[in-house]
Amino acid sequence: MKRIKIDRNKCIGCLTCTSACIVSHDSEETRSRVVIDSSGKYAPIFCRHCEKPECVFTCMTGAMHKDKETGYVLYDSKRCASCYMCIMACPYGVLKADQRTKKEIMKCDMCISTKEGTPQCVKKCPMTAITLEEVKE
C-alpha cells in the first residue's frame, strides 16, 4: 500500500499542496490542510489510511470504508449520516466536517478520482517535500 510521506525539513509552508488539493477536487474547501507543528514549521496532515481504521469501525452506515484492493480508507458522502463518529474516532485528528455543507466529511482520498491517479499534493510540491512511498502493512 502507498502512503503520503512528508519531509518537514523540506517543507517551506508555501501551501502549494493545499492549492493542488482544492483544484483537484474542484472545491472551495480543501481535503488536506496545513498546520504549524511544535517546532514552528509548516506541516500538511493527511489521512494515514490506517491498517485498522477507527473511523471505519465507528461508522454506522459504512460511509467510511477500507478499499480491499488499494488499502485506502474512502468516504461515500451518499451513505453518511453526519454523526461525526469518524471525526471523534480518528486518533490523528485528520477528519474534519465540511464547513460549507455541515454534512460531509473532508479527508484525503489519494486523488483516486483524478485521471492521473497520483495525489496532486505529491505531484505539485515544488520542494519535493511530499512523496508517495510504498509501506508494508
Side-chain angles (χ1 to χ4, degrees):
M1 180 173 86
K2 293 184 178 181
R3 284 197 183 141
I4 294 172
K5 183 178 178 187
I6 300 135
D7 183 342
R8 292 178 185 223
N9 294 321
K10 288 183 177 180
C11 180
I12 59 170
C14 66
L15 304 179
T16 302
C17 56
T18 303
S19 298
C21 185
I22 292 168
V23 170
S24 173
H25 291 89
D26 193 30
S27 68
E28 295 171 16
E29 298 274 335
T30 178
R31 304 257 192 268
S32 64
R33 63 193 189 286
V34 177
V35 299
I36 299 176
D37 67 15
S38 59
S39 67
K41 290 195 173 225
Y42 288 93
I45 297 178
F46 303 95
C47 178
R48 302 203 179 161
H49 301 280
C50 303
E51 185 178 344
K52 296 179 181 178
E54 293 295 326
C55 61
V56 171
F57 296 139
T58 60
C59 182
M60 64 183 173
T61 64
M64 284 290 178
H65 58 281
K66 189 164 178 83
D67 184 278
K68 292 177 183 175
E69 284 185 36
T70 63
Y72 298 150
V73 176
L74 302 176
Y75 169 70
D76 181 352
S77 63
K78 294 176 183 132
R79 297 180 73 180
C80 184
S82 303
C83 68
Y84 303 135
M85 287 300 295
C86 57
I87 292 173
M88 292 183 275
C90 178
Y92 301 104
V94 297
L95 302 177
K96 297 292 179 196
D98 186 325
Q99 294 301 307
R100 292 175 304 126
T101 66
K102 306 286 188 210
K103 295 178 181 178
E104 294 184 17
I105 304 301
M106 296 188 310
K107 71 171 296 301
C108 174
D109 64 0
M110 300 292 277
C111 294
I112 59 167
S113 61
T114 62
K115 294 176 185 174
E116 299 166 40
T118 301
Q120 294 303 293
C121 58
V122 172
K123 184 177 178 183
K124 304 288 184 180
C125 181
M127 304 306 292
T128 63
I130 305 171
T131 57
L132 192 61
E133 296 186 9
E134 191 71 36
V135 293
K136 295 179 184 177
E137 288 199 38

